[in-house]
Every structure is written in structure tokens, then in C-alpha cells.
Amino acid sequence: MKLAAPNAAPRMYLKDIDGKTIVIGKASGRRTLLCFFRDAACPFCNFRIYELTAKHAALQRLGLDVIAVFKSDVPAVRRFVARQPRPFPVIADPAGLAYETYGIERSLWGKLKAIAMRIPTLLKGLRIVGLAGLNTNNVMPADFLIDGEGKLVETWYARDAGDHIPFERIELFVARDLIERSAAA
């Protein structure tokens, strides 16, 4: 079942690919962008990881943590996603337990729609992952903005395999929080 704001984000304890425990949904005072990706070889996902990596320093300076979850095993995540260091935690969830908790869906139609409608992004992603990017699962991505108290502020369930929350919405989330904090001070 899909989650909705402004409910509490489900609390989960996950291990990143380096074995560090990552707690999601706990009041930490930090805002979080929680990204669920398809699988480690997904060209759309790898292009988004590239974008997140490029924007990460600016987002982190504004007080936003990024967590990336893949429905793949650790060797696949290391091979495709983490072959270059990532400045945020990357989690392998091959059993899909976190995906079930957050109501992530599967869709062959969504996968095919992305292939047909997002050709430039597909080609950019295939440059990253190679032909392995043509053999991916049907899991749809989803993104969640979580406030410092562990509550969902916005949920974004993808309409196709290349659909992610726009960076403008992420920046608005960060800016809104900064304005609220400065007004309270």
C-alpha cells in the first residue's frame, strides 16, 4: 500500500553496502531524501545517481541527507552503482523488504513507457552501465522527503521507470524548512 504525507515514515534499520547501519524514519533533526531505485543495472537509475552525486554537496550544505536503496544484491550494487565512490549511503535490498514497507510497485508498462519516452536519459544511462542495462526488473522507483522529526512531507511514486521527484521539489522542501527554522529563531 502506498504511503502518504504527513504520516510518520516507517522506521527501518538497513545496512549500507559497507555494513553501516542506516536508520530511516527516526527523528534526527536532519531532513532526508530517501530514494528507491529499480535495480543496480538500471540505466535510468544510474543516471539519477550521477545527478544526485553531482548535486549532493549543495544539498548536504542545506541540511539534506540522501539515502539510495536498490533492489539488487551487494555485488551488483558495487559493480554498477558504487564502482565510483558515492557521497551518500547506498543500500542493497535484494529481498525487497524496504520496498514492501514503503509500498513500491512493479510495472512492465512503466518500464516500457520509460524506454519509449525517455530515450535521451536511457542512452546516457546505458553509457554508464552498458548492455546490462537492458536486462532489468520491473520495479518502479519512488522518492520520499522526510523531515527532521521522521515524518513524510512528500511521496513520489514513479509513473514510469525513469520518473523521479524533480530537483525543484527537493530544493523547495529544503528552502521551506530553512525559512521555517530562521523564522523560529
Side-chain angles (χ1 to χ4, degrees):
M1 184 165 80
K2 289 183 178 180
L3 302 178
N7 295 314
R11 184 162 304 177
M12 294 186 305
Y13 297 85
L14 302 169
K15 297 268 187 201
D16 72 7
I17 60 171
D18 295 319
K20 180 181 175 192
T21 299
I22 306 297
V23 182
I24 298 167
K26 176 184 170 189
S28 66
R30 300 267 313 165
R31 291 156 296 173
T32 302
L33 168 61
L34 175 61
C35 304
F36 284 89
F37 292 97
R38 299 177 62 241
D39 73 37
C42 170
F44 300 109
C45 302
N46 275 275
F47 186 69
R48 180 62 172 211
I49 286 288
Y50 167 81
E51 292 178 318
L52 283 169
T53 300
K55 294 180 181 280
H56 182 264
L59 294 172
Q60 191 173 45
R61 276 193 304 274
L62 295 171
L64 184 71
D65 294 332
V66 175
I67 300 170
V69 184
F70 284 84
K71 190 164 186 322
S72 297
D73 61 20
V74 172
V77 172
R78 285 190 190 285
R79 177 179 172 204
F80 293 106
V81 179
R83 69 176 177 237
Q84 296 178 355
R86 299 298 168 193
F88 44 81
V90 178
I91 297 166
D93 181 18
L97 299 177
Y99 288 76
E100 288 176 28
T101 301
Y102 274 77
I104 311 300
E105 300 175 332
R106 301 175 65 86
S107 172
L108 175 59
W109 170 244
K111 178 181 172 178
L112 297 174
K113 180 179 173 187
I115 291 169
M117 303 300 291
R118 298 178 185 271
I119 293 172
T121 305
L122 174 67
L123 294 175
K124 289 174 188 174
L126 285 172
R127 282 190 213 127
I128 298 168
V129 297
L131 293 177
L134 299 175
N135 185 24
T136 59
N137 63 39
N138 295 332
V139 171
M140 291 293 101
D143 299 302
F144 301 89
L145 294 173
I146 303 170
D147 70 13
E149 299 304 311
K151 290 188 180 173
L152 295 167
V153 173
E154 186 167 354
T155 62
W156 186 276
Y157 289 93
R159 295 175 297 265
D160 64 65
D163 184 27
H164 291 278
I165 191 169
F167 279 106
E168 294 81 13
R169 297 195 70 81
I170 298 166
E171 292 159 358
L172 180 62
F173 166 66
V174 172
R176 234 182 292 133
D177 191 65
L178 290 174
I179 290 168
E180 289 172 7
R181 285 183 189 207
S182 66

